[in-house]
Amino acid sequence: MDEPTAVNRRDFFGKLGVSVGAAGLVGAGAVMAPPLLRAAETPKGKIPDTPFRTGHMTFLSGPAAVLGEPSLKGHTLAAEEINAQGGFLGKRKIETVTADEAAGTDANVKELRRMKLSEKIDLFTGVISSGNSPALGPVAEELGCLTIFTDGCTDFLFDKAVPNPKYVFRVTNIQSADGITAALGTAQAWPNVRKIAHLHPDYSYGRNAAEHFSLALERLIPGVQTVSENWPALGTSDFTAHITKILSAEPDLLFTSVWGGDYVAFYKQAIRYGLFDKMKVSTTLALGVAPHAIGKDHPEGVLAGVHSNYHFTYPTGNRWPLNKAFVERYYKRWNEYPNFQSDGAYTALYMLKSAIERANKLVGGWPEEEAIISQLEGLGYDAPSGYVYIRPDNHQGYKDAVIGFSKNLPEYPFPVWDPDRIITIPIRNITAPPNWPKPGTSHNESTAAANWLKTTWPKVAT
C-alpha cells in the first residue's frame, strides 16, 4: 500500500477529534440517574434466590496493590449497591471470592480453575497485569467461565490469545490506546521535542507502550529520535542507574509507562536528580495509581496518564452527574477517591447487571449464559468514566481516551489534572477497526493496532 500523503498537524488533530479543555464526552450517551437511584423493574418469570458467585482477582500485596486495592473496592461497592436492591434481578445476591494476583501467572491460572471447578463461580473478574490476561483468557474459554476483565489491557488478549472469544470480555480500553494517547498529548503540547528517552517495565505492557507511542509520535513529529532506552524489571524500587543514564543522554522528553508503586518510587528519586527540571515528561500511568499515593511533591505539568481510561475529576459533575455521584459514594464508603481500577471493577458488575436484565426481558426467568453473552455483545453503558461500548466482534470495551497534565489544586492533598488541559480523543479514531488483520506470518507488527498505524497514519508535514 502506498505511503499516506503528509498532512498538516492541526488538520490531523482535527480529523482525530482531539479536544483540549474541561468539556468533552464526545461519545457519551444520554445522562442518566446514578444506578442506585434507578427504579427497579419487576423481572419476568421465576428467579432463583441462590447466590451469584464471583471470583475477583487483583493485586492485594506488593507494589501493584496500589492499583489492586482500588479494584477490589470498586467491585465491592458495586456488589453492595446491587445487593441492597436484592441482588441481580432482585433475587440473586453477589458473593465474592478473592485471589491475590501477586501469586504469579502459573498460580493465577490454577486459581481460576479452582474457582470455577471447586468454588463454582458464575463470573470471573479483575486482573491488572498484561502478563496475566493472555494466560487466563484461554483457560476461561476452555472452562466456559463468563469473564469480564477489568484491566489486563494488552492487545495480545484478543489479537492472539483469544482471537474468537465467546465467554471472555474486557471493559478497560485496549493497551494500544495508551501509547497512542500519550503520543497525541505529547505532540499537541510539545511539538518541538526531538530527542526521546524511554523508561518502561520489561514485559509486554512496557514493550508495547513503547512501540505504539513511537509509531504514533514519529508520524506526528517527524525527525524524533530515541536517545536512551531503559527496561527496569517490574517491581523495581531503585531507579538510580536508569535516571543517571537518562540524564546523560540529555533528551527533550522522557516517555515512561512505569506504573503503580514503581512509578511512585521513580518520580520521588527523579526529583532528587532534578530530572523534571531538565526535560518534559510524558506518561501512560502517572496518575493511574490510587490518587492518594501521589504526593504534593509530584511536579506539575507532567503529561499524566491514567491508562487512557478515567480520572475521578473528569468528567466533571455538571457535565456528567453519574461520575459525581459515583465519586461521592466511593468516598463515603472508603474515605478516599477512586482511580481507573475502581471505575473498571465497578462498571463491570453494572454492565453485567444490565445484560442480565435485558436477557430476562427477552427470555424470562434467570437467563442462560448464552442469552447474557448475547446482551453483553454490543452493549452500550453510561458509566462513571463516560459511555462504554462492548464491540461484538472482539468483546473489547471502548470509551473515549483521556489524558491530562498534573497540577496541584488547593482542594486536594495530592496532584490532579489541570481542568483546563484535559485531552480527550474519540477511541474509534485511534483504534484498529473491526476485521483489521491480526498479527501473523504476513507482517511483523506485534499488534493489529501497530499494523494499522503503519498502514493508515500519514506523517505530519514538517
Side-chain angles (χ1 to χ4, degrees), residues 5 46 90 128 184 187 227 248 281 289 296 304 380 392 439:
T5 304
K46 186 175 181 181
I128 287 176
L184 282 164
V227 296
S248 68
V281 177
V289 296
K296 279 284 193 181

Side-chain angles (χ1 to χ4, degrees), residues 14-101:
K15 289 178 180 178
L16 290 176
V18 177
S19 174
V20 182
L25 297 176
V26 177
V31 175
M32 302 171 70
L36 198 59
L37 304 181
R38 295 176 191 165
E41 295 186 23
T42 303
K44 292 172 59 176
K46 186 175 181 181
I47 310 300
D49 60 3
T50 53
F52 185 93
R53 294 180 61 76
T54 298
H56 189 76
M57 178 181 288
T58 192
F59 284 98
L60 302 177
S61 62
V66 72
L67 292 182
E69 290 176 2
S71 173
L72 181 57
K73 287 173 179 175
H75 172 92
T76 301
L77 179 62
E80 289 174 350
E81 291 179 357
I82 293 168
N83 286 346
Q85 301 174 32
F88 290 132
L89 297 179
K91 286 287 189 72
R92 298 197 65 184
K93 291 194 173 184
I94 301 166
E95 290 183 354
T96 300
V97 180
T98 61
D100 189 350
E101 194 177 346

Side-chain angles (χ1 to χ4, degrees), residues 106-274:
D106 290 345
N108 292 337
V109 167
K110 292 178 182 177
E111 178 62 11
L112 172 55
R113 290 187 181 279
R114 188 195 71 81
M115 282 181 166
K116 181 62 177 175
L117 300 176
S118 298
E119 298 283 352
K120 307 296 183 184
I121 60 171
D122 300 292
L123 172 74
F124 180 71
T125 65
V127 180
I128 287 176
S129 174
S130 292
N132 286 326
S133 54
L136 293 165
V139 177
E141 291 286 336
E142 173 198 331
L143 295 171
C145 182
L146 182 60
T147 295
I148 303 178
F149 286 123
T150 58
D151 194 7
C153 61
T154 175
D155 296 46
F156 291 158
L157 174 63
F158 294 125
D159 272 4
K160 294 181 178 180
V162 189
N164 298 295
K166 177 179 179 181
Y167 295 97
V168 175
F169 296 79
R170 182 168 56 194
V171 297
T172 192
N173 266 339
I174 198 167
Q175 181 192 323
S176 51
D178 249 18
I180 298 170
T181 298
L184 282 164
T186 298
Q188 191 278 333
W190 305 305
N192 296 322
V193 299
R194 292 295 181 270
K195 298 190 296 180
I196 313 298
H198 287 260
L199 176 69
H200 306 286
D202 192 10
Y203 76 112
S204 60
Y205 176 73
R207 295 284 172 179
N208 281 278
E211 179 187 29
H212 294 124
F213 177 89
S214 298
L215 284 173
L217 194 67
E218 69 185 17
R219 283 154 176 76
L220 296 164
I221 309 179
V224 293
Q225 59 175 315
T226 296
V227 296
S228 179
E229 290 188 5
N230 301 267
W231 302 96
L234 188 64
T236 293
S237 58
D238 185 357
F239 288 88
T240 302
H242 301 293
I243 292 169
T244 55
K245 180 183 174 184
I246 291 166
L247 290 170
S248 68
E250 298 184 343
D252 302 317
L253 178 131
L254 169 65
F255 171 57
T256 180
S257 61
V258 170
W259 57 275
D262 295 19
Y263 179 77
V264 176
F266 159 72
Y267 96 75
K268 288 183 177 294
Q269 293 164 35
I271 287 173
R272 296 201 295 269
Y273 283 84

Side-chain angles (χ1 to χ4, degrees), residues 318-336:
N318 60 336
R319 293 279 297 167
W320 198 243
L322 279 168
N323 185 45
K324 182 175 185 290
F326 167 66
V327 172
E328 289 173 350
R329 294 197 304 274
Y330 190 96
Y331 190 89
K332 182 178 180 180
R333 177 66 177 87
W334 304 111
N335 197 32
E336 63 188 46

